[in-house]
Amino acid sequence: MMTKAYIEEAEKALLHTYNRYQVVLERGEGTWLYDIEGKKYLDFVSGIAVFALGYNNKDYNHALKEQIDKLIHTSNYYYNVPAIEAAKKLKRVSGMDRVFFTNSGAEAVEGAIKAARKYAFLKDGKTDHEIIAMNHSFHGRTMGALSVTGNPKYREAFEPMIGNIQFAEMNDFSSVEALVNDKTCGILLETVQGEGGIYPATQEFLEKIKALCEERDILLILDEIQCGMGRTGYMYAWQKYGIRPDIMTTAKALGCGVPVGAFLMTEEVAKRSLTSGDHGTTYGGNPLAAAAVSKVLDLFEENQILENVNRVAPYLETRLDELVKKYDLLLTRRGAGLIQGLVADRPVADIINKALEKGLLLINAGTHIIRFLPALVITKEEVDQMIAILEECLE
Ligand SMILES: *Cc1c(COP(=O)(O)O)cnc(C)c1O
């Protein structure tokens, strides 16, 4: 069966919730993907910041195959070695104290919200606590995660939301200050906003929020689902700012393709929030998912992933800045490390479709921004190849 026939079948069977590109992908190798007709694509999406190590990484595949032959799943009512190993390693690279594994990013956000509410509940016994989130944020599609997502378009049809959520403006501290009151239990933001348009938090903004949180015993919750796992050149983006959150979320590249996420917290929060019976999941941190996390974290070190990001990202920035200078329709570049956005004066869908035709995968962030999320093993040569194709599409 060829592409068109598959797409027709897909449209008959799958719920129409995605505007999919007209391609059926079959296999991957490094930073390249192949469709069912054998056409090759340079991939600057990596499954939306998931496949950090590149496709078909033999060490990663081998570790998963070994685990499949041993044990794929047991209940969280029993211990398993991969989850213990994965949690230890995740603690080490994050500098956080306690880990709860989930199956997705949205679930990690759900857990973070519950932990913040429980923390406040244990302090004053009240059930009217508020969370401050940011406009233009994205935290996922489940009801809790949607409730803190600062894009009314995503929320409207599904109202009512979980309630007691306020929205401030990213990088505008006074807008946060204006909302804080005695009910505020958490301030939640992406360290670098992804879907909402690639807006990194400023140093000043994060510092002021951290100070405010300490002063009023409010929990700082950083969503590192997209910008974490090495993408900014730091294992977690907040490490660059020197500001440790009380709770953080991680997912996407955490399992490099095996569905897994986590929320982590400090010991202080762990001691005063979720406890026995408060939270759970059937799959979260099962042996297969945990083996993936464990191997991914090993390979980040062995393959010097952060070093590669810090080598290639400045080059990507330079090459993107050249495009901004050269093409009037490009207004600016924003980003940190290997999460970058080119802001255009018009919708970018046509450019992205042209790129697809020419064998380059790109994705948007909002209608006017081309987003770049390559595998973290990308090379400068591949950056050059990407720029050459993109230029053809911009002409
Ligand atoms: C993708 C994303 C999520 C949601 O993760 P899912 O695994 O799709 O549920 C949450 N927050 C941020 C910042 C994300 O980029």
Side-chain angles (χ1 to χ4, degrees):
M1 211 161 35
M2 293 316 255
T3 301
K4 205 164 157 282
Y6 270 120
I7 290 175
E8 270 169 24
E9 297 232 308
E11 293 308 323
K12 279 185 216 151
L14 294 166
L15 197 63
H16 293 177
T17 50
Y18 302 99
N19 287 316
R20 290 187 167 90
Y21 294 100
Q22 299 298 295
V23 56
V24 184
L25 296 170
E26 187 172 58
R27 64 190 178 87
E29 194 65 48
T31 45
W32 297 83
L33 280 167
Y34 296 81
D35 70 17
I36 52 167
E37 298 180 25
K39 183 173 165 187
K40 191 177 171 186
Y41 302 85
L42 179 56
D43 180 17
F44 266 69
V45 180
S46 58
I48 316 211
V50 168
F51 242 101
L53 297 168
Y55 300 105
N56 201 15
N57 180 300
K58 296 291 185 228
D59 294 331
Y60 171 81
N61 291 359
H62 180 70
L64 288 191
K65 286 172 190 165
E66 258 192 350
Q67 189 59 47
I68 285 171
D69 289 338
K70 258 191 226 156
L71 184 65
I72 294 175
H73 182 80
T74 71
S75 165
N76 274 314
Y77 286 110
Y78 310 99
Y79 295 98
N80 75 75
V81 175
I84 297 164
E85 288 293 318
K88 261 183 6 196
K89 290 172 192 173
L90 193 51
K91 272 181 60 171
R92 193 174 69 239
V93 298
S94 68
M96 302 297 286
D97 299 320
R98 299 221 170 237
V99 182
F100 183 100
F101 287 113
T102 66
N103 310 290
S104 67
E107 284 171 72
V109 172
E110 297 285 339
I113 294 170
K114 281 180 72 174
R117 281 189 169 181
K118 180 78 192 288
Y119 179 88
F121 175 76
L122 289 178
K123 271 197 306 187
D124 63 15
K126 292 185 180 155
T127 54
D128 59 353
H129 297 109
E130 297 178 0
I131 289 175
I132 299 173
M134 300 299 141
N135 284 320
H136 306 295
S137 62
F138 182 84
H139 298 291
R141 303 295 199 142
T142 55
M143 289 307 286
L146 193 58
S147 300
V148 290
T149 288
N151 186 338
K153 188 186 80 186
Y154 290 158
R155 297 195 308 259
E156 191 184 6
F158 310 102
E159 298 277 353
M161 295 286 111
I162 62 167
N164 290 22
I165 308 296
Q166 312 270 4
F167 289 97
E169 215 46 64
M170 181 84 164
N171 290 333
D172 175 356
F173 180 68
S174 61
S175 75
V176 178
E177 226 177 358
L179 296 174
V180 167
N181 63 66
D182 291 341
K183 296 180 189 172
T184 311
C185 68
I187 299 177
L188 164 66
L189 65 143
E190 294 154 86
T191 320
V192 179
Q193 283 189 340
E195 309 290 325
I198 325 290
Y199 290 98
T202 62
Q203 181 74 32
E204 188 193 358
F205 183 63
L206 259 196
E207 273 175 15
K208 285 187 169 165
I209 285 188
K210 176 74 181 175
L212 177 71
C213 285
E214 281 186 351
E215 187 192 310
R216 304 198 52 151
D217 198 18
I218 294 167
L219 301 181
L220 173 60
I221 309 166
L222 292 180
D223 182 343
E224 291 260 349
I225 290 167
Q226 188 160 157
C227 63
M229 286 300 291
R231 189 151 288 278
T232 63
Y234 292 78
M235 203 57 200
Y236 286 101
W238 58 261
Q239 291 165 344
K240 174 176 165 201
Y241 299 78
I243 287 164
R244 187 165 85 136
D246 301 296
I247 302 175
M248 66 162 265
T249 59
T250 180
K252 291 202 162 93
L254 181 64
C256 275
V258 171
V260 62
F263 62 98
L264 293 88
M265 57 185 77
T266 61
E267 190 63 33
E268 298 77 63
V269 177
K271 268 194 281 191
R272 299 180 188 84
S273 64
L274 300 178
T275 180
S276 275
D278 274 343
H279 200 52
T281 160
T282 298
Y283 287 137
N286 83 7
L288 180 65
V293 173
S294 192
K295 193 65 189 179
V296 165
L297 293 174
D298 285 348
L299 290 172
F300 261 65
E301 273 182 38
E302 284 167 32
N303 297 348
Q304 305 192 313
I305 297 296
L306 294 184
E307 287 80 351
N308 191 60
V309 174
N310 287 316
R311 195 163 44 233
V312 179
Y315 186 70
L316 174 63
E317 289 184 354
T318 307
R319 298 293 331 254
L320 293 176
D321 285 341
E322 284 167 15
L323 297 185
V324 172
K325 272 205 202 110
K326 190 164 164 191
Y327 298 96
D328 287 341
L329 73 106
L330 299 177
L331 305 176
T332 187
R333 172 192 64 78
R334 278 199 297 268
L338 292 180
I339 173 169
Q340 295 285 341
L342 277 182
V343 185
D345 66 2
R346 66 196 70 178
V348 294
D350 284 350
I351 299 171
I352 290 174
N353 279 315
K354 253 186 228 160
L356 179 74
E357 268 171 42
K358 292 176 186 294
L360 168 65
L361 298 191
L362 294 169
I363 197 150
N364 60 304
T367 51
H368 284 50
I369 299 167
I370 307 172
R371 183 166 31 156
F372 300 84
L373 295 165
L376 304 185
V377 293
I378 197 91
T379 62
K380 288 183 185 175
E381 291 69 35
E382 287 163 336
V383 170
D384 287 338
Q385 285 171 290
M386 179 277 288
I387 296 282
I389 300 174
L390 183 54
E391 287 216 66
E392 288 175 28
C393 304
L394 290 167
E395 289 296 347

